[in-house]
Amino acid sequence: MLTVFITGGAGYIGSHVVKELLHQGHQPIVFDNLQTGHRKAVKNVPVIEGDLSDQKILKETFQYYPIKAVMHFAADSLVGESVQNPEKYFNNNVKNSMNLIEIMEEMNVKKIVFSSSAAVYGEPKEIPISEKHPCVPTNPYGETKWIFEKVLQAFHDAQKLNFISLRYFNAAGADPEGDLGEDHSPETHLIPLLIKAALDGTSVPVYGTDYHTPDGTCIRDYIHVTDLSHAHILALTQLEKENASGIYNLGNGNGYSVREVIETVKKVTGKKVTAIDSPRRPGDPARLVASSTKIKEELGWVPNYPHLETIVETAWKWHKKHPNGYGHQKEK
Ligand SMILES: NC(=O)c1ccc[n+]([C@@H]2O[C@H](COP(=O)([O-])OP(=O)(O)OC[C@H]3O[C@@H](n4cnc5c(N)ncnc54)[C@H](O)[C@@H]3O)[C@@H](O)[C@H]2O)c1
């Protein structure tokens, strides 16, 4: 049993990982400022409401709990916003993350699993994208993730910590037991937007219909949030076992176009979904598909929910039961 400090544990992916950690017999301690997270998304674990900019509360938490490892989900993660407001992104995703590793160093905690992103790669030169692909981020969000990976590598080289950086492609779906789901505001992710459209009749823009793809729309790699959660447990086990660090992609290796996702949502929900053909967004690559061979071979990761239909079914189950998500007031 390990006591694991989870930044952003009340968020979409963090809350699913907390559930999995509990299931595996670990003790998660959630640290979250609830700016996008939800208190109702974390049950039966200590939740410290605090901000990573606050070194005092961070240090008190590390002094109080016997923390042995960290999982770092907390971040701002809207690509468009990062272009408009880069200082917010460098402050939260880099400067505040530095606060965290400084406290880790001071308190002698040497293991961290970091939520990185496919956004570190930028415009892909080849598909599927492996970890060897050059990193040339095309927006400040991707830049912040890439910078913090380099920080972690430098700390590793200085023998101050070991890290595993997981580069997620498009996280999607919901806890198959229906307890947890995705509730962002504003929502920018395609599957919850389409489900909302199925539920309340709103329409969803399709950004770009003239890409060099079979149906002209962008292709993305969707990975079930529970499969991501399993990868975090494997990463933690690996950090416990070996004095080593690593970077791993997490995707299914299957690309689905926007139109294919729309058709799948229509099929699963049995409802009408209005999609409106719209101009391309600047900076959206035509295809982003991962090679996850490395994590399969080195950590033994196997996705249990690789099919888009199952991913959408789990999301639909949660949204049908929680049409207002976790509720939009701040829950205490
Ligand atoms: N969702 C995806 O498809 C995806 C893809 C690639 C990478 N990621 C990365 O995975 C991580 C989790 O993503 P998510 O979709 O669960 O996001 P989320 O917004 O649901 O969760 C982030 C959590 O961090 C908290 N937080 C943010 N800044 C904080 C701070 N300064 N102090 C304390 N808490 C803070 C938020 O309140 C929230 O609960 C992020 O780092 C994101 O960049 C997500």
Side-chain angles (χ1 to χ4, degrees):
M1 194 277 276
L2 287 174
T3 302
V4 188
F5 184 73
I6 317 282
T7 77
Y12 167 47
I13 301 169
S15 59
H16 284 78
V17 175
V18 165
K19 182 171 175 179
E20 190 59 32
L21 281 164
L22 280 172
H23 186 67
Q24 300 287 333
H26 296 299
Q27 175 60 70
I29 311 292
V30 168
F31 186 89
D32 201 299
N33 65 6
L34 302 181
Q35 66 176 29
T36 54
H38 307 273
R39 211 170 241 274
K40 283 187 190 155
V42 265
K43 298 198 181 87
N44 308 319
V45 300
V47 179
I48 291 102
E49 191 173 335
D51 194 281
L52 285 173
S53 61
D54 184 346
Q55 278 208 329
K56 184 169 174 281
I57 184 168
L58 269 178
K59 189 166 174 183
E60 283 165 6
T61 310
F62 272 75
Q63 282 169 335
Y64 188 77
Y65 293 103
I67 293 164
K68 293 284 176 279
V70 171
M71 291 190 182
H72 181 31
F73 298 93
D76 286 305
S77 48
L78 300 174
V79 169
E81 186 188 53
S82 80
V83 176
Q84 301 301 322
N85 191 357
E87 57 275 34
K88 178 176 179 189
Y89 280 73
F90 286 97
N91 272 325
N92 199 22
N93 299 1
V94 180
K95 196 170 160 197
N96 288 344
S97 298
M98 285 301 304
N99 273 346
L100 173 68
I101 52 170
E102 280 169 18
I103 296 288
M104 286 175 64
E105 191 182 354
E106 196 179 329
M107 302 304 293
N108 205 27
V109 176
K110 291 182 177 295
K111 300 180 181 93
I112 180 168
V113 182
F114 173 56
S115 300
S116 188
S117 165
V120 299
Y121 294 115
E123 185 69 41
K125 297 205 177 343
E126 57 191 24
I127 296 285
I129 301 170
S130 82
E131 293 81 355
K132 294 200 175 93
H133 189 285
C135 290
V136 189
T138 50
N139 53 64
Y141 167 66
E143 198 72 54
T144 61
K145 293 288 180 185
W146 174 223
I147 290 172
F148 196 62
E149 280 194 356
K150 287 192 276 192
V151 169
L152 290 172
Q153 185 64 52
F155 273 65
H156 168 82
D157 294 344
Q159 300 183 345
K160 290 175 188 285
L161 54 75
N162 288 321
F163 75 94
I164 287 185
S165 182
L166 299 175
R167 292 177 176 166
Y168 318 152
F169 281 62
N170 288 51
D175 167 34
E177 289 172 6
D179 295 335
L180 302 167
E182 182 168 14
D183 179 10
H184 289 126
S185 183
E187 188 55 80
T188 57
H189 294 153
L190 182 62
I191 292 173
L193 281 174
L194 291 170
I195 288 180
K196 183 170 180 299
L199 281 169
D200 66 14
T202 49
S203 59
V204 178
V206 176
Y207 294 113
T209 53
D210 57 351
Y211 285 97
H212 286 294
T213 57
D215 66 19
T217 65
C218 285
I219 291 180
R220 294 290 178 269
D221 186 339
Y222 295 89
I223 171 162
H224 196 281
V225 64
T226 302
D227 286 331
L228 277 183
S229 302
H230 288 150
H232 284 76
I233 304 294
L234 293 171
L236 184 66
T237 311
Q238 179 72 6
L239 286 172
E240 273 299 284
K241 223 168 49 190
E242 274 182 38
N243 195 22
S245 293
I247 295 177
Y248 298 97
N249 282 343
L250 273 171
N252 275 309
N254 302 317
Y256 293 98
S257 74
V258 175
R259 293 225 195 282
E260 285 174 313
V261 179
I262 294 170
E263 288 313 309
T264 307
V265 170
K266 283 186 187 164
K267 183 175 168 205
V268 167
T269 62
K271 306 236 182 225
K272 187 169 165 265
V273 174
T274 312
I276 300 183
D277 290 357
S278 307
R280 292 182 183 198
R281 284 183 303 198
D284 266 348
R287 286 174 204 260
L288 285 175
V289 178
S291 160
S292 298
T293 307
K294 186 178 172 201
I295 193 163
K296 287 179 179 163
E297 286 181 0
E298 293 187 11
L299 304 192
W301 178 72
V302 181
N304 289 318
Y305 305 96
H307 301 296
L308 182 63
E309 200 165 317
T310 324
I311 292 175
V312 172
E313 275 164 8
T314 58
W316 172 233
K317 183 173 163 186
W318 191 76
H319 285 284
K320 217 171 23 170
K321 212 167 126 197
H322 305 89
N324 297 317
Y326 290 105
H328 287 294
Q329 308 91 318
K330 257 198 166 182
E331 309 109 21
K332 290 260 171 175

